Amino acid sequence: MVILDLFRSVLDEAPVAIVVTDAVVERPGPTILYANTAFGRLTGRAPCDVIGLTPRFMHGRDTRRAVLDQFAIALKACERFHGFLTNYRADGSRYVVEIDCRPLTDTSGRLTNFIAFEREVVRRRGRPAVGASGRFEPVEESHDSLTTILPGMNLFKS
Ligand SMILES: Cc1cc2nc3c(=O)[nH]c(=O)nc-3n(C[C@H](O)[C@H](O)[C@H](O)COP(=O)(O)O)c2cc1C
């Protein structure tokens, strides 16, 4: 098994939804190059069916433009984006997704791709804690925020 196949098999089975795009931030980019099984479950589409699409296919009426604008600013600045968006599945059902999107660079520091870790969240009941992270909780078992989990996976420098 070559190293790329090894990485792919780890990503394919990861419990968190993972999507990788190219680095083209101007429309119609970015284009999806890879999506794992959990991303298929999240979006209600087969991972192979989203290859070649822009992640905008998940947008809909309640997807907040203000958050997308922050997203676009971060991508253009080659910076990380962490936020919450309302998205839509293939069957039209709506969900709130927590997204941690990071730029990937080659050894010379040139931007090559973006990778996003995503999971469905629901609005926390009761008095919301301060900030967007406090207002939502994951629908699945782990209540750690993505931002807390990812550094522990030692995938990134910070
Ligand atoms: C790796 C990656 C994953 C993304 N995932 C989502 C997503 O799950 N949902 C979403 O609404 N937008 C997602 N986006 C953001 C949109 O593709 C787009 O970049 C955003 O709408 C800002 O561009 P615009 O101002 O041209 O719409 C993702 C972008 C990247 C690079």
Side-chain angles (χ1 to χ4, degrees), residues 21 24 27-32 50-59:
T21 68
V24 180
R27 283 171 182 260
T31 300
I32 296 176
V50 304
I51 308 298
L53 301 181
T54 158
R56 293 183 193 85
F57 75 83
M58 293 167 276
H59 296 180

Side-chain angles (χ1 to χ4, degrees), residues 113-131:
N113 298 88
F114 292 102
I115 184 167
F117 301 86
E118 310 195 359
R119 66 176 173 184
E120 185 176 358
V121 293
V122 289
R123 211 164 252 284
R124 222 181 264 280
R125 273 187 242 171
R127 198 173 159 183
V130 179

Side-chain angles (χ1 to χ4, degrees), residues 21 27 55-56 58-59 65 68 71 75 85 87 99 118:
T21 68
R27 283 171 182 260
R56 293 183 193 85
M58 293 167 276
H59 296 180
R65 190 65 243 175
L68 293 177
F71 206 147
L75 295 180
L85 278 164
N87 277 173
I99 302 178
E118 310 195 359

Side-chain angles (χ1 to χ4, degrees), residues 17 27 30 44 46 55-56 59 63 80 86 94 112-113 128 145 148 158:
R27 283 171 182 260
R56 293 183 193 85
H59 296 180
T63 310
R80 179 171 161 241
T86 298
R94 208 173 67 148
T112 58
N113 298 88
S145 92
T148 313
S158 60

Side-chain angles (χ1 to χ4, degrees), residues 12-87:
D12 278 348
E13 298 314 318
V16 64
I18 299 173
V19 58
V20 177
T21 68
D22 63 17
V24 180
V25 291
E26 300 302 336
R27 283 171 182 260
T31 300
I32 296 176
L33 304 177
Y34 171 80
N36 72 350
T37 311
F39 187 81
R41 278 198 299 274
L42 180 70
T43 62
R45 290 173 165 85
C48 59
D49 289 347
V50 304
I51 308 298
L53 301 181
T54 158
R56 293 183 193 85
F57 75 83
M58 293 167 276
H59 296 180
R61 213 187 57 179
D62 293 336
T63 310
R64 285 184 58 207
R65 190 65 243 175
V67 182
L68 293 177
D69 288 345
Q70 287 170 14
F71 206 147
I73 289 168
L75 295 180
K76 282 176 191 152
C78 197
E79 283 171 1
R80 179 171 161 241
F81 168 84
H82 176 251
F84 298 83
L85 278 164
T86 298
N87 277 173

